[in-house]
Amino acid sequence: MPTKQGPTFQSIIHDLKSRKFSPIYVLMGDESYYIDQISDYVATHVLSPEERDFNQTVCFGSDVNAIQVTDMARRYPMMSEYQVIIVKEAQNIRSLDALEKYLKNPVKSTILVWCHKNGKIDARKKVVGLAQTVGVVFESQRLRDYQLPEFIQNYLKQKKVSIDPKSCQMIADHIGADLNRLTSELDKVLISLPSDNLRVTPEIVEEQIGVSKDFNAFELRNAIVQRDVFKANQIIKYFDNNPKAGSLYSFLPLLFSYFQNLMIAYYAPQKNTEQGIATALDLRSSWGAKDFLIGLKNYSARKTMDIISKIRDTDAKSKGLDNPNTGAGDLMKELIFFILH
């Protein structure tokens, strides 16, 4: 994800597809997926296969320094409008003085892609400001857990494949925020789909990704919404015996989001209707409002406030605050018991 007011991943790809090129692309951040997507697009779409032989260079930061890169950047293309230079693992290049000097007068026929992974370029260096002046600077941040379902939906939508909310949450909870691994697993699911039924279901997720369709974070959330003590305890027991199936760390944000929104629903002007709740919570459809109508019946406003407080306390303890030796499994059991009783 981008820095505030900076270019987005989508806007950069849109400009590249429109062949609106910049002389420099500084791609940096903790999420390698977007950096790879942009650099791969430049590598495969800017030049024709014939032009690449003489005008495209891919190098690694462990093999070159900034002086060598800028010397290449000052060359002119051969029988082509542009030359492309992609520097991968650029975080391994220590001194950026030569790059700073180059960016004061970059060659317009050169497209230089600087891929700095595992963090940002030191803000004290002038490179970022100079690059923003003449080109594109993009910070690729890791998605948060609550953003993963939307990412999954959008990724599959581009492939003309639909997915239901339960399947979406199952995948998000099981894989987590490693987007390279997540997209790899989604591609595996896509290959398994029959051409006449491009729809991802919980059964397909269970078969292809290996997460139970009956015992997962989505079903635990449903059991809590319904205040189904027996089902919730079944799932907790399953998690205890299968640690990879679900953990406190992946479940807390899902649970906190629900009860936080339930508290908002209590103050909705039309809290007795699906549409009224959907409007108050800014839901895309009234489908998700059903859970909050059920929650309003099963949990009082006072209990909801107490649960939110308990979730915050559990989150702090899971990170070691005021918690000498209680494990994540026991913290989860304690939290679920508090919510349901």
Side-chain angles (χ1 to χ4, degrees), residues 89-151:
E89 310 294 340
Q91 69 273 11
N92 292 320
I93 298 178
R94 293 184 178 181
S95 174
L96 301 181
D97 293 347
L99 182 60
E100 288 178 7
K101 186 176 180 181
Y102 171 78
L103 290 177
K104 291 175 182 177
N105 186 27
V107 176
K108 293 183 179 180
S109 57
T110 293
I111 299 172
L112 175 58
V113 184
W114 194 270
C115 304
H116 182 107
K117 295 183 178 179
N118 306 322
K120 298 187 292 183
I121 295 175
D122 189 339
R124 292 170 294 182
K125 296 186 182 295
K126 297 177 182 178
V127 165
V128 174
L130 289 167
Q132 285 175 325
T133 301
V134 298
V136 171
V137 174
F138 173 75
E139 183 185 344
S140 184
Q141 298 179 351
R142 286 192 181 278
L143 293 186
R144 299 190 176 184
D145 290 339
Y146 71 86
Q147 296 173 305
L148 294 178
E150 183 179 6
F151 175 88

Side-chain angles (χ1 to χ4, degrees), residues 195-225:
S195 58
D196 59 343
N197 189 14
L198 298 178
R199 185 169 64 92
V200 179
T201 64
E203 290 76 18
I204 290 172
V205 174
E206 181 176 49
E207 180 183 337
Q208 297 298 322
I209 296 182
V211 52
S212 170
K213 64 182 174 60
D214 298 315
F215 299 100
N216 54 70
F218 188 89
E219 288 299 324
L220 179 55
R221 176 187 180 276
N222 278 352
I224 289 171
V225 170

